[in-house]
Amino acid sequence: MKKSLIKKLFSVTLTGVMAFALIACGNNAEEAPAQNGNLEENVAEEESKGEPSDSEEAGTGEGVTLEWQQWWAVEAPEGYVQNMVDKYYEETGVRVELLSAPFADTKTQIISGVSTGTVADIVSVDGSWVYDFADQGVLTNMSTLMDATGFDKSLPASTWDVNGSTYAVPVLNFAYPMFANQDILDECGVTELPKTWSDFEEVCQKIVDKGYYPYALNLDTSSPSGIQNVYMGFAWASDIKMKNDNGEFDVVNNPELKEYAEWIKSLNDKGYIYPGMSSLTETDMTSKFSSGNICFIINSAAAITAWRADAPDLNLTAAPIPVKDDFTGESAMCVANWSLGITENSEHKEEAMKFIEWLLNADDGGVCADLAVTQTAFPNSTLAKPDYSNGDPVFQDVYAMYQSGYPYNEFTGMKEANTIMTDYIDELVTYMDGDTDIDTFMSNLQATLDEVYGK
Amino acid sequence: MKKGSKLRKKAAPYLFLSPTLILMIVLLVIPICLVLKYSFQDNAIVVKAPEFVGFENYEKILGDEDFWNAAKNTVFFVVVSVVAHLVLGMCFALLLNTDYFGTRTKTIARVIYVLPWVFTASVIAILWKLMLQPHGIVDYLLSFVNLATKDTEWLSSRQTALATITFVNIWCGYPFYMISILAGLQGISADLFESAALDGANTWKTFWNITIPQLKPILISIAMLDFIWTIQSFSVIWMLTGGGPVKSTETLSIYIYKLAFNRTQYAHASTAAVIVLAVCIIIAVFYVKQQRKVRE
């Protein structure tokens, strides 16, 4: 009898402990332990540090803890972003906890946070999410905050605006130039990089004759960014855009965009483009390039570091994106960004705004400049003066090209950008396969744009 | 005192069950109820106060051309996969159960045949993507027998992509059938085969009149389970084609994912998920009934 009672008591206690553990696991985020290594490391390191050194500088927000959902700490060298926020804590007394996840998971985590009311105060955002996040009330209107906190609006070289209000501020710009495999060019007897579409075609034929593929387009729809970075990136160099002079998306009345699509199709028909483009991801394309199968690709300048590490024998050259034969203007270069927004749910919006301002102006732009040099990117702070003199010579060439043109991306801040990019790819693939004509392609694309923009 | 003791006695089984019940409620019932709720709301998740819209989302999803395209692709993918799994699994199981091979040969063959099932989805996707790429090993081998050119785009052509991902799914799924059927075959009494032989039944007749009826409960069970698993297939398709080219490999799972995470239309994604859930529940009911029959 006694034994039975002890058994029952034990079972009840065990059940209670399990139930308690389950409830504790589901408790709110503030009480729960950090869900990733970075955050745990952050808290531990901060606890081991003393109080902020300069109490005068601390000003408003001292003692506040901001959460920052981002992918930067995953892509930057280990501990780099952590050191940056530690420095901010030392200067201001405001803690910034890093919630790190790969880029591919960040959007999902932001949405999950919004649905449960636990979204971070500051979120790193991609250009293709901004409009939707602003429209859905995920991001707060930063224009109002800038006025309230006395933010120096001349600090960022550019901002991401929706309906005239700023919703995100870029910190770094990643350029998408063209790269070439110099060994293939040498083998094919190409002594000068192609500057125009005609030059490019001529070079392509020489490359094909030697058994290589000249160029690649990544049109996989699981990550539809190939349409902006590569396909439109090539067009923007010749000032061929989807928007008309009134800033409206008008592709159906754009003869240059039609001509560009026809030219790209002709390259594909001649076998100049690597086959299997509709299932080719950016990673596939980059690996084909570094393994010497493809001569030219358009890719982020940040890839230089990876190529140097993974393919040390790759004889890399930065090449200007060839422009239309009669084009004489300034070339645009596709850019992607590391940008920051502040969530509407945040209880510390002003402190979050001050942190963003600090990233741009700390050490007279030095923090932003160092981050840019580390990531082979370009700072968006007007104060930053990055020193690339010790950097990769190919990156220095990219920097020169970047300075001679201007950064551009029509998909940044676009409404339902992912939908439009995916539909654009589907229409382009159908056209490239010869299953539709150019006018149908353009009118279908226009229909998608009109549907999204409610025309 | 007596009353308290009785109550304790009655409560004991529920207390023992409570950890499992709590887990099932938290991990199964609540998520399903939430998805069901979202399917009746407008702009669920992303809007703070979503409105109740009744069956509006269902009307929209059922009227969406892309949904029916995904449903059509899913039917092809599931039916061909399940049938091929069954046929291949049966063939390999019979091969491994035969007396014509020695134990060592059968053990080696068993290890080789089961390998596709051991690989994770990402390994399968990388492996096949490398083999199926233009100028890859598949093109190279098939070009010898004039079945393909060296730059055949298996995953990038709208004509071949769906059949290709179905083939990959068949390849990685048949070992489950093989192992289950083999276990079933080894459980059939040898007396039955001996009696059939004495009655003069040939191999074919023995197979149809003894092997198949004896395996029937297992075959039905694994086919139903496979149907449910295959309808939910996502990882391999996503990593091989992402639903492309031009939605030619977009199954319902890919369609739902794209609605939720590319287009941030969680209400519509939830609606489509509820429709798939309903189909799976119908199959599950048959499965449970079948299991009950077997037990009886």
Side-chain angles (χ1 to χ4, degrees):
Chain A
M1 182 68 190
K2 228 180 180 182
K3 263 187 180 177
S4 157
L5 188 72
I6 291 167
K7 269 185 184 175
K8 276 181 188 173
L9 274 172
F10 177 73
S11 310
V12 171
T13 316
L14 191 69
T15 310
V17 169
M18 285 173 81
F20 178 76
L22 202 67
I23 292 160
C25 286
N27 222 331
N28 71 42
E30 281 169 35
E31 285 168 25
Q35 290 185 6
N36 59 57
N38 286 330
L39 180 52
E40 280 169 10
E41 194 184 321
N42 182 19
V43 174
E45 275 182 25
E46 281 172 356
E47 277 172 358
S48 68
K49 289 177 197 278
E51 286 304 305
S53 55
D54 190 349
S55 56
E56 269 180 65
E57 280 291 306
T60 56
E62 192 175 348
V64 163
T65 300
L66 298 170
E67 285 185 336
W68 177 15
Q69 178 76 56
Q70 39 66 47
W71 65 86
W72 302 12
V74 178
E75 295 186 9
E78 202 179 341
Y80 190 93
V81 181
Q82 184 60 59
N83 290 338
M84 224 163 62
V85 297
D86 285 346
K87 189 178 175 186
Y88 185 65
Y89 174 60
E90 282 168 23
E91 287 182 18
T92 64
V94 175
R95 289 173 195 269
V96 179
E97 287 182 358
L98 300 180
L99 305 177
S100 308
F103 172 78
D105 297 333
T106 303
K107 189 180 180 188
T108 314
Q109 295 212 351
I110 293 171
I111 294 284
S112 306
V114 170
S115 66
T116 53
T118 57
V119 69
D121 301 279
I122 304 164
V123 287
S124 292
V125 287
D126 183 69
S128 60
W129 314 339
V130 171
Y131 186 98
D132 298 336
F133 278 173
D135 190 45
Q136 290 157 352
V138 175
L139 296 177
T140 197
N141 184 337
M142 287 169 97
S143 298
T144 326
L145 267 178
M146 284 175 175
D147 295 336
T149 56
F151 181 92
D152 179 1
K153 288 183 181 172
S154 66
L155 260 181
S158 63
T159 54
W160 288 353
D161 297 352
V162 175
N163 298 329
S165 296
T166 301
Y167 281 88
V169 175
V171 176
L172 293 186
N173 299 322
F174 291 85
Y176 275 72
M178 187 176 252
F179 294 100
N181 183 324
Q182 189 58 50
D183 287 341
I184 296 179
L185 291 177
D186 292 343
E187 194 184 329
C188 301
V190 178
T191 50
E192 205 177 334
L193 289 164
K195 290 188 177 66
T196 63
W197 290 4
S198 300
D199 294 346
F200 188 65
E201 277 193 70
E202 205 176 297
V203 170
C204 283
Q205 189 54 52
K206 286 181 183 171
I207 293 166
V208 165
D209 291 343
K210 286 283 179 187
Y212 298 102
Y213 280 100
Y215 184 57
L217 262 176
N218 56 315
L219 298 179
D220 175 74
T221 48
S222 59
S223 175
S225 57
I227 198 77
Q228 60 168 338
N229 301 335
V230 182
Y231 181 77
M232 285 309 294
F234 207 121
W236 292 330
S238 303
D239 203 34
I240 298 171
K241 294 168 182 170
M242 293 191 292
K243 281 182 176 172
N244 62 19
D245 294 339
N246 300 324
E248 292 166 338
F249 287 103
D250 183 8
V251 296
V252 83
N253 297 311
N254 187 337
E256 286 193 316
L257 196 62
K258 276 186 194 174
E259 192 186 344
Y260 171 66
E262 284 169 331
W263 181 66
I264 288 287
K265 186 179 184 302
S266 75
L267 295 185
N268 190 44
D269 293 344
K270 287 172 189 167
Y272 295 164
I273 298 180
Y274 189 81
M277 67 179 91
S278 58
S279 61
L280 198 71
T281 62
E282 188 172 301
T283 314
D284 294 337
M285 185 177 74
T286 310
S287 66
K288 299 277 169 228
F289 175 73
S290 58
S291 59
N293 290 310
I294 299 166
C295 185
F296 292 103
I297 63 164
I298 292 178
N299 208 331
S300 168
I304 296 172
T305 315
W307 281 323
R308 293 302 186 212
D310 302 337
D313 296 334
L314 176 67
N315 193 354
L316 192 67
T317 302
I321 295 176
V323 295
K324 209 176 147 199
D325 289 9
D326 56 355
F327 179 74
T328 52
E330 199 181 7
S331 281
M333 188 182 277
C334 174
V335 285
N337 314 74
W338 276 8
S339 298
L340 296 174
I342 298 167
T343 55
E344 190 58 48
N345 279 6
S346 170
E347 291 173 3
H348 308 292
K349 292 189 182 76
E350 293 195 3
E351 289 82 358
M353 194 70 240
K354 282 190 181 298
F355 174 66
I356 294 171
E357 185 171 21
W358 180 84
L359 281 176
L360 295 170
N361 74 359
D363 300 343
D364 293 327
V367 167
C368 189
D370 287 348
L371 185 63
V373 173
T374 309
Q375 290 305 111
T376 46
F378 307 114
N380 195 49
S381 164
T382 48
L383 291 179
K385 289 181 178 58
D387 180 12
Y388 299 118
S389 57
N390 294 323
D392 195 294
V394 173
F395 182 72
Q396 289 180 30
D397 291 342
V398 173
Y399 188 41
M401 286 177 205
Y402 181 79
Q403 284 179 316
S404 68
Y406 64 98
Y408 190 75
N409 193 332
E410 283 181 298
F411 293 89
T412 297
M414 181 189 256
K415 190 176 178 182
E416 293 183 35
N418 262 319
T419 306
I420 292 172
M421 285 195 281
T422 307
D423 287 355
Y424 199 162
I425 286 177
D426 286 349
E427 293 301 334
L428 177 63
V429 168
T430 312
Y431 169 65
M432 297 273 261
D433 285 350
D435 292 335
T436 189
D437 57 67
I438 185 70
D439 291 323
T440 314
F441 165 34
M442 288 294 151
S443 58
N444 287 350
L445 178 60
Q446 186 67 53
T448 302
L449 289 161
D450 289 349
E451 192 186 331
V452 168
Y453 281 89
K455 285 185 183 171
Chain B
M1 185 63 189
K2 257 189 172 178
K3 262 189 179 177
S5 170
K6 263 189 179 177
L7 194 71
R8 271 204 301 274
K9 210 174 178 183
K10 275 189 178 173
Y14 297 102
L15 285 172
F16 283 118
L17 280 174
S18 58
T20 313
L21 286 175
I22 292 168
L23 277 174
M24 281 183 78
I25 290 167
V26 171
L27 301 175
L28 210 72
V29 180
I30 294 176
I32 289 175
C33 290
L34 280 174
V35 170
L36 203 62
K37 187 182 89 175
Y38 295 152
S39 73
F40 291 104
Q41 290 179 333
D42 185 25
N43 281 324
I45 299 182
V46 287
V47 169
K48 275 182 185 171
E51 284 175 22
F52 177 79
V53 291
F55 286 93
E56 203 177 283
N57 290 332
Y58 288 87
E59 275 173 36
K60 183 146 195 182
I61 288 295
L62 293 172
D64 184 5
E65 216 176 87
D66 290 344
F67 172 80
W68 291 109
N69 171 59
K72 192 187 79 190
N73 290 341
T74 307
V75 168
F76 176 86
F77 183 72
V78 172
V79 171
V80 175
S81 291
V82 171
V83 172
H85 281 157
L86 199 66
V87 173
L88 275 179
M90 177 67 83
C91 291
F92 284 119
L94 288 170
L95 212 63
L96 290 175
N97 197 46
T98 178
D99 294 328
Y100 297 116
F101 298 118
T103 315
R104 189 182 287 175
T105 315
K106 281 200 269 191
T107 309
I108 293 168
R110 205 175 293 187
V111 171
I112 293 169
Y113 291 157
V114 91
L115 271 179
W117 203 39
V118 180
F119 295 138
T120 61
S122 51
V123 172
I124 292 165
I126 293 167
L127 197 74
W128 279 101
K129 199 160 191 180
L130 284 172
M131 292 200 294
L132 290 166
Q133 66 185 352
H135 303 284
I137 192 162
V138 172
D139 281 354
Y140 181 73
L141 293 174
L142 291 178
S143 65
F144 280 120
V145 283
N146 286 329
L147 283 175
T149 57
K150 283 186 179 171
D151 57 356
T152 302
E153 303 170 21
W154 296 101
L155 295 167
S156 307
S157 158
R158 275 174 287 160
Q159 283 73 41
T160 55
L162 184 60
T164 307
I165 60 157
T166 310
F167 171 80
V168 173
N169 188 58
I170 292 166
W171 177 82
C172 63
Y174 79 83
F176 169 69
Y177 278 72
M178 183 188 78
I179 291 166
S180 307
I181 296 170
L182 184 61
L185 285 172
Q186 286 170 349
I188 302 174
S189 169
D191 297 349
L192 294 171
F193 292 111
E194 279 171 19
S195 306
L198 286 172
D199 289 343
N202 61 18
T203 314
W204 192 242
K205 276 189 174 168
T206 310
F207 178 73
W208 276 113
N209 297 309
I210 295 177
T211 310
I212 291 290
Q214 290 292 312
L215 287 177
K216 203 175 153 192
I218 295 175
L219 294 179
I220 293 173
S221 300
I222 55 178
M224 282 179 182
L225 279 180
D226 193 29
F227 188 93
I228 294 169
W229 291 337
T230 312
I231 214 169
Q232 295 164 353
S233 280
F234 175 80
S235 314
V236 172
I237 307 172
W238 184 252
M239 284 186 273
L240 283 175
T241 61
V246 199
K247 300 184 178 79
S248 60
T249 59
E250 194 169 284
T251 56
L252 284 169
S253 54
I254 302 282
Y255 172 78
I256 293 167
Y257 181 87
K258 280 186 173 176
L259 274 179
F261 299 108
N262 278 0
R263 305 193 176 209
T264 54
Q265 292 172 354
Y266 288 90
H268 293 160
S270 302
T271 311
V274 169
I275 295 169
V276 175
L277 178 72
V279 175
C280 288
I281 285 174
I282 295 167
I283 305 295
V285 167
F286 280 113
Y287 173 72
V288 171
K289 276 189 176 174
Q290 170 65 24
Q291 288 297 304
R292 200 177 290 164
K293 245 187 209 174
V294 171
R295 273 201 301 272
E296 281 166 5

